[in-house]
């Protein structure tokens, strides 16, 4: 059977509509049975034994950072839910104004404008946190993850705009590579300052910012006292505590069965981030070869080996960065990296023509063995 990846499939949480409606129906029947007035719906708030107001499910979607953000949360009132979601989306816009490389006036672009000046410049708290984490992941991955790849990413974007795309020429790649390299991004931890050593350096946070944003949304919602949440930042997800009466949130990890048919793992998770990287949507095809938007900083061009990488862990920012890094790293190195990191696990597939080869870290095997496969 031909190996194929369903382009319409993306990792997504699977809402528990069936079980919820069943639960609601039983609850309603019980309420009517014990209520003296027909049609009166007994609610948890009316239970003298239970003073906590009933939590209702709410869902909000809003486009940000070039993707659709979705928040699912359980809250005690519509007004609380809306206020919390509004506040969360406002926070994402603030972060976008800081971290976007598309917005000319973003803090990121202001920082890039100082490249080569020899000066350390002050950086806001959120940006500094993302820069620090990025540098840590770069060091752990020998530069496979590298936010200074901005000049290469620009070449990739130019190539994508062309009607008949051609790979960047050697000269363009050589020039761009003069301004790439995470070791040329210096951070002054004590003074929260950064310096871009080489002229022309450009930072690109596309491989980490959405994860950071997902973590931030969770924090904003927590400030509203909302704990039972699922946030999906277009493939970068984070879950809070379980929905009422459930063990957790059902998250689908893209996978294929032994016949190469889509067969995602359904994991029930709480307090976990899940990030998936892959080139299912973003690639340029040249002479029948797919060049991903994930770039190997060693060559300056998009990776051609097709992988779908999922990383699970506590921080969505880290899961996001690691899933990008594992798309570039040699497979044994990627597996070893995640195996060394307690609380993190990874499942990924390498798609080579007709063949799909799965890989997983030890912790993922444990996680998977304790859960059910979607269609079994
Ligand atoms: P997605 O945006 O599909 O979730 P990723 O999280 O993997 O995908 O991020 C890919 C983005 O990261 C690219 O579009 C680019 O902006 C940036 N990027 C590309 N290659 C690298 C790399 N080697 N290291 C860090 N960031 C990268
Ligand atoms: Mg990423």
């Amino acid at each position: 059977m031909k190996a194929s990846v369903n382009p319409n499939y993306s990792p997504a949480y699977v809402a528990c509509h069936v079980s919820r409606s069943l639960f609601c129906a039983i609850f309603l029947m019980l309420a009517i049975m014990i209520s003296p007035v027909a049609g009166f719906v007994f609610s948890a708030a009316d239970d003298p034994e239970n003073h906590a107001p009933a939590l209702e499910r709410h869902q909000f979607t809003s486009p940000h950072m070039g993707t659709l953000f979705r928040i699912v949360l359980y809250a005690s009132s519509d007004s609380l839910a809306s206020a919390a979601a509004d506040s969360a989306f406002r926070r994402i816009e603030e972060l976008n104004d800081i971290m976007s490389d598309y917005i000319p006036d973003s803090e990121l672009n202001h920082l890039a404008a100082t490249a080569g000046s020899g000066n350390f410049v002050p950086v806001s708290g959120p940006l500094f946190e993302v820069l620090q984490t990025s540098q840590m992941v770069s060091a752990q991955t020998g530069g496979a993850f590298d936010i200074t790849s901005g000049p290469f990413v620009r070449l990739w974007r130019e190539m994508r705009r062309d009607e008949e795309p051609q790979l960047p020429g050697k000269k363009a790649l050589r020039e761009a590579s003069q301004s790439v390299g995470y070791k040329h991004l210096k951070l002054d931890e004590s003074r929260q300052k950064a310096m871009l050593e080489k002229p022309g350096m450009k930072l690109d946070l596309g491989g980490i910012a959405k994860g950071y944003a997902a973590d931030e949304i969770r924090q904003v919602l927590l400030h509203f006292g909302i704990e039972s949440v699922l946030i999906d930042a277009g493939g970068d997800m984070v879950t809070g505590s379980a929905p009422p009466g459930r063990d957790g949130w059902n998250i689908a990890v893209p996978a294929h069965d032994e016949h190469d048919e889509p067969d995602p793992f359904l994991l029930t998770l709480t307090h976990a981030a899940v990030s998936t990287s892959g080139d299912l949507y973003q690639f340029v095809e040249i002479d029948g070869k797919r060049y991903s938007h994930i770039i190997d900083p060693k060559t300056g061009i998009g990776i051609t080996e097709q992988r779908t990488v999922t990383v699970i862990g506590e921080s969505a920012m880290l899961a996001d960065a690691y899933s990008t890094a594992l798309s570039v790293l040699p497979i044994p190195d990627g597996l070893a990296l995640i195996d060394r990191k307690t609380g993190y696990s990874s499942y990924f597939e390498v798609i080579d023509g007709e063949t799909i080869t799965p890989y997983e870290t030890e912790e993922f095997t444990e996680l998977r063995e304790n859960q059910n496969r979607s269609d079994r």
Side-chain angles (χ1 to χ4, degrees), residues 146 148-156 168-185 197-202 295-301:
D146 189 341
T148 72
S149 302
F152 291 146
V153 173
R154 273 162 206 235
L155 288 178
W156 186 90
K170 279 204 176 104
K171 187 164 169 277
L173 281 171
R174 208 174 33 245
E175 267 174 31
S177 69
Q178 304 289 313
S179 312
V180 174
Y182 74 96
K183 289 184 179 160
H184 301 305
L185 165 61
E197 280 184 332
K198 300 266 188 160
M201 283 179 79
K202 289 185 176 31
I295 283 163
D296 182 349
K298 287 202 171 76
T299 62
I301 54 178

Side-chain angles (χ1 to χ4, degrees), residues 41-109:
V41 179
F42 181 84
S43 80
D46 303 312
D47 177 359
E49 297 294 307
N50 179 3
H51 295 288
L55 296 178
E56 291 287 338
R57 183 182 188 278
H58 299 265
Q59 176 165 305
F60 304 87
T61 53
S62 181
H64 299 275
M65 296 183 165
T67 191
L68 192 65
F69 275 66
R70 177 168 43 179
I71 299 175
V72 183
L73 58 82
Y74 283 81
S76 52
S77 74
D78 291 357
S79 54
L80 175 67
S82 304
D86 285 351
S87 184
F89 289 135
R90 267 201 309 278
R91 179 77 186 128
I92 299 316
E93 274 314 295
E94 281 169 21
L95 292 178
N96 197 41
D97 289 344
I98 294 173
M99 299 187 193
S100 168
D101 59 308
Y102 283 99
I103 299 174
D105 210 24
S106 69
E107 189 186 345
L108 191 81
N109 282 335

